[in-house]
C-alpha cells in the first residue's frame, strides 16, 4: 500500500485539484485507489460527480458515533473517496481516524491519497513511509512563502513538490518556474502541470479530467505525474 499526502504551500494553489485528478489517473492506470478528504471546504465532491451542496461526509459519520465507512463513495471509473463533511475535528482527531482508516484499507487499496489543508499538521503512526506532495504555483507569493518555510524548517526526504498552473505565455510565470526549479532541485517533480481550461470545465461538469476531458493535455499530464510519483514511492519503500 502506497500513501500520499497532498497539501498546498498556501491556500488556493490547487492542491485539491491535484489530489482528485491524481486519484483518477491512478484508477485509469489500473490501481485501486482511495482518496480521503481532510478539507472542510468540501471541494472534492464535484470531481467525482457530487455537487457542492451535498456536503455530508466521514466527519459527520464519526461525529454521530457511526462508522466512517458509511460515507465511502465510488465514482463511475472506480475511484473510491471519502468526502470530508460539515463537521470539524482537531488535528489529533484527524490523525487518529486516519490511522484507523489506513489499518482498515491496508489490504483493500493499492494507493491511498490524503488531501489536506495547507495548515494542518498530522502525525500518523501507521504511515512512516508516507510521501508528502506539496503543491506550488510559479508565482512570487509561492516563491516567497516557500523560501521562508524552507529557511525555518527544511523539508524531509519524504517531501516532494509539484508545480501546478505553469504557463509559457506569461514571462513572470516562466521566470518563477526557473526560480523554483533552482530552489528545489531534485525535490521538484519533473512532471509539471500546465494551465488548462479543461480542468475547470471538468469540475463544472461534475467530473475529473479522466472522465470529462479524456483527450486534454491535462489528462496526459496527470497520467505522467501519477507514473513519476509512483516511481518515487517505490524508491522510498526500497530505501526503508
Amino acid at each position: 500500500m502506497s500513501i500520499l499526502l497532498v497539501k498546498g504551500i498556501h491556500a488556493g494553489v490547487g492542491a485539491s485539484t491535484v489530489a482528485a485528478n491524481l486519484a483518477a489517473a491512478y484508477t485509469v492506470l489500473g490501481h485501486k485507489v482511495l482518496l480521503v478528504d481532510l478539507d472542510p471546504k468540501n471541494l472534492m465532491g464535484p470531481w467525482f460527480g457530487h455537487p457542492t451542496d451535498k456536503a455530508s461526509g466521514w466527519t459527520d459519520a464519526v461525529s454521530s458515533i457511526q462508522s466512517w465507512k458509511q460515507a465511502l463513495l465510488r465514482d463511475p471509473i472506480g475511484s473510491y473517496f471519502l468526502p470530508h463533511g460539515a463537521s470539524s475535528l482537531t488535528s489529533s482527531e484527524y490523525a487518529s481516524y486516519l490511522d484507523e482508516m489506513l489499518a482498515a484499507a491496508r489490504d483493500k487499496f493499492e494507493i491511498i491519497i490524503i488531501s489536506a489543508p495547507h495548515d494542518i499538521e498530522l502525525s500518523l503512526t501507521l504511515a512512516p513511509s508516507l510521501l508528502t506532495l506539496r503543491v506550488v504555483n510559479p508565482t512570487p507569493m509561492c516563491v516567497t512563502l516557500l523560501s521562508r518555510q524552507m529557511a525555518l524548517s527544511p523539508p524531509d526526504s519524504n517531501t516532494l513538490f509539484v508545480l501546478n498552473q505553469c504557463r509559457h505565455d506569461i514571462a513572470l510565470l516562466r521566470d518563477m518556474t526557473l526560480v523554483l526549479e533552482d530552489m528545489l532541485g531534485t525535490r521538484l517533480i519533473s512532471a509539471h502541470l500546465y494551465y488548462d481550461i479543461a480542468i475547470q470545465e471538468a469540475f463544472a461538469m461534475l467530473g475529473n479530467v479522466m472522465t470529462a476531458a479524456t483527450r486534454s493535455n491535462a489528462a496526459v499530464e496527470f497520467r505522467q505525474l501519477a507514473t513519476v510519483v509512483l516511481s518515487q514511492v517505490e524508491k522510498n519503500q526500497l530505501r526503508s
Side-chain angles (χ1 to χ4, degrees):
M1 181 178 69
S2 301
I3 305 170
L4 307 174
L5 173 64
V6 181
K7 300 172 62 177
I9 249 343
H10 62 75
V13 297
S16 295
T17 298
V18 171
N21 287 280
L22 190 59
Y26 279 125
T27 299
V28 300
L29 289 173
H31 300 280
K32 194 168 183 180
V33 182
L34 172 64
L35 174 63
V36 182
D37 189 13
L38 303 190
D39 195 334
K41 291 193 293 291
N42 284 292
L43 295 178
M44 203 60 70
W47 293 113
F48 298 98
H50 295 267
T52 53
D53 59 348
K54 293 183 178 180
S56 61
W58 71 269
T59 61
D60 301 315
V62 299
S63 296
S64 301
I65 322 298
Q66 301 177 49
S67 171
W68 52 265
K69 296 178 182 179
Q70 293 188 6
L72 188 64
L73 299 173
R74 185 175 184 267
D75 83 333
I77 62 171
S79 300
Y80 290 82
F81 74 105
L82 282 165
H84 181 278
S87 300
S88 296
L89 305 176
T90 65
S91 294
S92 60
E93 287 174 327
Y94 279 123
S96 176
Y97 283 116
L98 271 175
D99 278 333
E100 181 183 330
M101 292 174 188
L102 295 178
R106 189 191 305 267
D107 299 322
K108 297 179 177 65
F109 295 95
E110 297 173 66
I111 298 172
I112 297 178
I113 298 176
I114 303 166
S115 178
H118 72 283
D119 54 355
I120 190 172
E121 296 296 331
L122 297 171
S123 179
L124 302 178
T125 59
L126 296 181
S129 59
L130 172 144
L131 180 65
T132 298
L133 301 180
R134 300 297 304 273
V135 180
V136 296
N137 295 155
T139 62
M141 181 177 180
C142 258
V143 169
T144 301
L145 289 177
L146 179 59
S147 178
R148 291 174 180 172
Q149 290 180 20
M150 292 181 68
L152 292 173
S153 178
D156 60 32
S157 59
N158 285 339
T159 298
L160 296 177
F161 294 83
V162 178
L163 190 54
N164 186 35
Q165 293 288 329
C166 298
R167 296 186 68 159
H168 286 318
D169 58 334
I170 300 177
L172 176 61
L173 300 192
R174 291 201 305 269
D175 292 344
M176 291 295 98
T177 295
L178 294 175
V179 171
L180 286 168
E181 289 175 343
D182 184 62
M183 180 187 300
L184 296 171
T186 58
R187 291 187 182 278
L188 182 63
I189 293 176
S190 58
H192 298 345
L193 300 170
Y194 288 81
Y195 174 80
D196 191 339
I197 192 65
I199 294 177
Q200 298 176 30
E201 292 174 345
F203 186 83
M205 292 187 290
L206 299 182
N208 51 69
V209 295
M210 299 300 155
T211 58
T214 56
R215 298 185 179 181
S216 65
N217 289 333
V220 174
E221 290 165 4
F222 272 106
R223 284 194 293 267
Q224 292 173 338
L225 177 64
T227 301
V228 172
V229 170
L230 194 56
S231 175
Q232 185 62 51
V233 169
E234 291 170 351
K235 289 179 183 178
N236 286 7
Q237 289 174 342
L238 288 174
R239 283 201 298 265
S240 61

